[in-house]
Structure formats: structure tokens, C-alpha cells
Amino acid sequence: MTLELGLDTFGDMTNGPDGAPLSHAQVIRNVVDQGVLADQVGVDFIGIGEHHREDFAISAPEVVLAGIAARTERIRLGSAVTVLSSDDPIRVFQRFATVDAISGGRAEVILGRGSFTESFPLFGHDLSDYERLFTEKLDLFARLAREKKVTWKGTIHPGLKAQEVFPPMENGPLKTWIGVGGSPESVVRAAHYSLPLMLAIIGGSPARFRPYVDLYLQSFEAEGKVAPPIGVHSPGHVAATDAEARDQFFAGYSISHALIGRTRGWPPLRRADFDREVDRGSMYVGSPETVAGKIAATVRALSLSRFDLKYSGGPVPHDVSMEGIRLYGEKVIPMVRDMLA
């Protein structure tokens, strides 16, 4: 299976060249430009995250993906992730089927619970229903993604009987991943639906996720089936040198860490801890050679078919992100492919 190398962004709020904060609207336009550049330099996939808070600009990833689709030719387009628990599975399917139509068959979706809970009260959901909402909505979505006429019954929806949903996918099922943050139950769930597995690894050694990979693969081996793709989403940044990449990324990442940490009880991020994570953990920050070597090692360790670098990290300036994207596409991707050939 061919290795895909992608990029993810959450559309983090950033500052302009004068240091003043950009508007949410300008950040969204910048993300579209970043997606266009990624297409031009050979990146395989771009994922757009969904958030509903002041420090992230994008609450409707599919709309942004449609904007990128209209200006690109080959890059695949998806979410990173879609918070299915607080959305309507039918509408999610319709929106991604629309992106697929606009892009000529390049859409895919990564479904997950998300690490933030703002969308639950915003859309009238009770957090006490967290597990039931995701379980039932995933069951419905899995049918929508594969069946032209859907019959389904649950507690979150009146039910469907041989229901067609429009627009239909033009060329086969909608590629649907399950985003997993480290729960064995989520791995088993992805295997149950025979859906590709996307591991969100944002700290610690990537090798610690090997038991989840083995659990997933064994589920298919026991039935004599070939497992769907496995991917990893991890943060990082590419610059000309290791020192430059670390300085650029830490400046924004530490601000984002502090902002989120105030509501989660995290201590401030020390530079020494950041450097330690870059050296030995799941932070892919450095020169093209450094980042390529680390990605190749992770691909080998976890038997991956996809690696997505989450390049946005707090208020990292747009021009810095653009240069990182360029280096990722023109330098890192060819190096990784050579290392794994």
C-alpha cells in the first residue's frame, strides 16, 4: 500500500506581520491559501479541524474544504476531526458528499469525539449523553457511507427505512476514518465497522501506540481479512534548520498550550519540556532531514499507510506556516519515500 503524507490544521488564530491579531475571516482565507500551496508542492492530503472557540477560526471545515477544492487539482480533502457526537450524521454525510462532488472524488472524513466540549452545549446536547451520542451516530454514519438506501433505528433519530440521502457519492463509498486518541474501545469500534484507524499522537513515544495497532490488525487477521489503512496525526513544523524550526514553533505552540491549559489545569510549557518532546516524543519539529527521519521511523514502528503533520500550533505566522508547507512537500515527502523504499 502506498504511503500517503498529509498535513492537518485547526485554523489557529494568528497575528499579522505587524503583530496585531488577524480576523477570523482572514485566518480562514489564509488556510485556503495553505491548502492550495500544499496541493502545488505534492502533499497528498489536507485535513481541517473543527472547533467552536475563540482561538480557532474554523467551525465549518467542509466549507473551507470546498474553497480549497475549487482551487486545487489532486490533493485529498478531509476533516481533522469532525465532532460527530454533536452533529447530525445525515448532514455530515451530505456536506462531505458535496465536497466530494466539487473536488471530483477527493473527499474523506475523519470522525471523532474531539478533545473540546464547546459544541455540546452550543448545539443543545448533554455531556452525560457523550457515549450514547457517538456510538449511535457512528452506527448510522457507517451505513450512510456505504449504503444507497439506509434502514436504521436508534434513540437519537426517528429512524430510517430504505431512505436515500442526497447527493449520493459519485464514485463509491465515502472514505471514512475513525480518529482515536488512545482508547482500546475506540480501536475495537473502528475494527468492528472495518473503518481506517487514525491515531492522534500528541505526546510521548509513538511506539507506545503499537499495542493499539496490534489490537486493530489482530481483529482482521482473526477473520482472514485485510485491515484498512492506519494513520497517525501528530504536531510538527519544518524550517531550514533544527534551531530555526524549534524557535518558530515554540513561540506559537507555548501560547496555545497556555491558553488551553488554563481550563485544564496544565502548567506552563517550559522550553526544556518542549525540546525533550521534540527529541524523544511525538513532536516532528526540525529541518527537512530531521523531520523526514522521524516520520519514517514512526511509519515503520506503527505499520502506517498515512502520516499527517499537524502544522498549525497557536499563533504561528502565516508566512512561517507557508514556508513549512513548502519544505514539507518539496523536501520532507521525497526524503521519507526514499528512506522507506
Side-chain angles (χ1 to χ4, degrees):
M1 188 174 293
T2 302
L3 174 68
E4 296 179 335
L5 292 155
L7 290 169
D8 290 337
T9 178
F10 292 169
D12 303 54
M13 292 301 294
T14 54
N15 299 330
D18 60 357
L22 297 176
S23 67
H24 286 73
Q26 184 58 55
V27 171
I28 290 171
R29 290 190 287 270
N30 287 348
V31 169
V32 173
D33 288 342
Q34 291 162 12
V36 172
L37 176 61
D39 180 64
Q40 294 169 348
V41 299
V43 178
D44 295 317
F45 169 84
I46 186 157
I48 308 293
E50 172 196 347
H51 294 85
H52 303 270
R53 40 187 290 141
E54 186 178 9
D55 46 333
F56 299 105
I58 298 172
S59 60
E62 306 93 338
V63 181
V64 181
L65 292 168
I68 296 172
R71 294 176 54 192
T72 56
E73 298 293 333
R74 43 160 299 280
I75 194 168
R76 294 194 60 80
L77 309 151
S79 56
V81 300
T82 293
V83 185
L84 186 65
S85 308
S86 57
D87 212 329
D88 182 329
I90 297 174
R91 293 296 286 144
V92 172
F93 174 81
Q94 290 177 321
R95 296 195 298 263
F96 276 92
T98 301
V99 173
D100 197 70
I102 294 169
S103 66
R106 292 183 280 135
E108 53 190 71
V109 61
I110 302 175
L111 303 175
R113 302 166 186 265
S115 61
F116 297 90
T117 59
E118 289 85 359
S119 62
F120 285 82
L122 182 64
F123 299 120
H125 296 290
D126 193 325
L127 277 171
S128 65
D129 290 332
Y130 188 85
E131 181 66 27
R132 179 175 67 92
L133 286 169
F134 186 76
T135 300
E136 289 201 22
K137 290 184 178 185
L138 176 60
D139 187 63
L140 174 54
F141 194 93
R143 293 175 182 269
L144 292 165
R146 291 173 173 167
E147 302 173 12
K148 290 186 177 181
K149 294 185 178 182
V150 177
T151 297
W152 183 87
K153 186 176 181 180
T155 65
I156 59 163
H157 192 280
L160 303 173
K161 186 174 182 179
Q163 179 69 53
E164 293 185 76
V165 177
F166 301 97
M169 291 292 292
E170 188 174 31
N171 297 298
L174 174 64
K175 187 172 184 178
T176 303
W177 300 71
I178 298 295
V180 175
S183 161
E185 293 78 13
S186 296
V187 174
V188 171
R189 183 181 287 121
H192 171 73
Y193 289 105
S194 295
L195 294 174
L197 180 71
M198 181 61 67
L199 299 166
I201 306 180
I202 59 174
S205 169
R208 68 191 176 91
F209 277 75
R210 184 69 212 191
Y212 295 128
V213 171
D214 291 338
L215 176 62
Y216 183 73
L217 294 176
Q218 288 162 7
S219 300
F220 294 93
E221 290 170 359
E223 299 182 14
K225 297 180 180 178
V226 177
I230 300 171
V232 159
H233 151 109
S234 287
H237 173 62
V238 190
T241 66
D242 288 347
E244 185 179 5
R246 292 187 187 216
D247 289 345
Q248 289 176 344
F249 200 63
F250 179 76
Y253 189 81
S254 60
I255 293 172
S256 177
H257 185 279
L259 185 63
I260 297 170
R262 281 200 290 269
T263 61
R264 300 188 178 184
W266 298 347
L269 179 64
R270 300 178 301 176
R271 179 58 188 259
D273 294 330
F274 171 82
D275 287 337
R276 188 178 305 111
E277 186 65 35
V278 172
D279 288 336
R280 298 192 289 275
S282 295
M283 192 85 72
Y284 297 74
V285 178
S287 67
E289 295 80 5
T290 296
V291 173
K294 194 166 185 177
I295 290 174
T298 298
V299 170
R300 291 192 191 99
L302 299 180
S303 305
L304 302 182
S305 299
R306 160 85 67 80
F307 180 92
D308 292 339
L309 184 77
K310 193 261 184 180
Y311 68 91
S312 62
V316 176
H318 174 55
D319 61 335
V320 173
S321 291
M322 290 287 273
E323 177 62 8
I325 292 169
R326 185 189 69 79
L327 290 170
Y328 184 75
E330 294 181 352
K331 302 290 186 181
V332 174
I333 288 178
M335 287 181 188
V336 173
R337 298 202 191 284
D338 286 345
M339 291 174 183
L340 296 173

